[in-house]
């Protein structure tokens, strides 16, 4: 998610990966045909909201090219006014670092400025036996970022 010139953007991503811990970088890609690609390229801050299973309707909503995706969608404002969705498994608040050609996609590399992991997520992950394919990545990235910050890496 992002806010550009007062307009809130929201897209559902199907690609997301860790790139580096020093500096903390992640990447995602956006299809070139996306209606909001040009606006996203102009964003000065981007939030990556990792949705939980119960948030499938939001994922579906942001996957479609709707005129107003934000009607009746609860959110708070994060870094650079990027919308933060409540109840997510994790949130990465980022600033753009680079864009790369990815064929029919644009690959965005962003620097993680703030990271929030939902309380109790580790216990929940063990209870679910890692059924969420993003859970090991989210927890691993969160633990590494926390260690890096705590140990001054």
């Amino acid at each position: 998610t992002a806010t550009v010139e007062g307009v809130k953007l929201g897209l559902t991503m199907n690609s997301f990966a860790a790139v580096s811990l020093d500096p903390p970088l992640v990447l995602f890609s956006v299809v070139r045909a996306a209606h909001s690609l040009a606006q996203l390229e102009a964003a000065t801050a981007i939030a990556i909201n990792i949705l939980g299973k119960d948030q499938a309707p939001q994922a579906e909503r942001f996957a479609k090219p709707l005129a107003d995706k934000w009607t009746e969608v609860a959110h708070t404002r994060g870094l650079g006014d990027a919308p933060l969705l409540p109840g997510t498994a994790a949130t990465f608040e980022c600033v753009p670092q680079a864009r790369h050609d990815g064929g029919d996609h644009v690959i965005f590399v962003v620097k993680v400025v703030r990271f929030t992991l939902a309380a109790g997520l580790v216990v929940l992950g063990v209870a679910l036996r890692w059924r969420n394919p993003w859970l090991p990545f989210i927890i691993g990235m969160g633990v590494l970022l926390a260690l890096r910050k705590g140990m001054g890496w």
Side-chain angles (χ1 to χ4, degrees):
T1 59
T3 300
V4 177
E5 296 180 4
V7 177
K8 291 185 284 272
L9 309 173
L11 297 100
T12 297
M13 303 295 158
N14 63 1
S15 61
F16 174 64
V19 175
S20 168
L21 286 175
D22 189 15
L25 301 174
V26 296
L27 68 77
F28 61 91
S29 64
V30 178
V31 67
R32 289 188 185 278
H35 290 83
S36 54
L37 177 61
Q39 290 171 302
L40 190 59
E41 288 177 325
T44 58
I46 296 170
I48 300 170
N49 296 276
I50 307 296
L51 304 180
K53 276 184 170 180
D54 60 334
Q55 293 176 306
Q58 286 177 321
E60 291 171 12
R61 176 185 201 91
F62 290 119
K64 297 176 184 173
L66 302 174
D68 183 10
K69 296 179 182 187
W70 294 95
T71 301
E72 299 181 22
V73 174
H75 63 282
T76 58
R77 295 180 346 186
L79 180 70
D81 286 337
L84 305 178
L85 302 173
T88 59
T91 302
F92 295 82
E93 294 180 72
C94 309
V95 294
Q97 290 294 292
R99 288 191 310 270
H100 301 282
D101 177 29
D104 63 354
H105 281 68
V106 175
I107 300 166
F108 289 78
V109 177
V110 295
K111 181 178 180 181
V112 179
V113 176
R114 286 194 290 240
F115 174 81
T116 305
L117 183 65
L121 186 61
V122 174
V123 174
L124 177 64
V126 171
L128 294 175
R129 298 178 190 223
W130 305 103
R131 288 185 194 160
N132 180 338
W134 287 106
L135 210 49
F137 171 81
I138 295 165
I139 292 170
M141 186 73 168
V143 167
L144 290 172
L145 287 172
L147 285 173
R148 181 176 184 270
K149 182 178 179 184
M151 301 198 137
W153 295 349

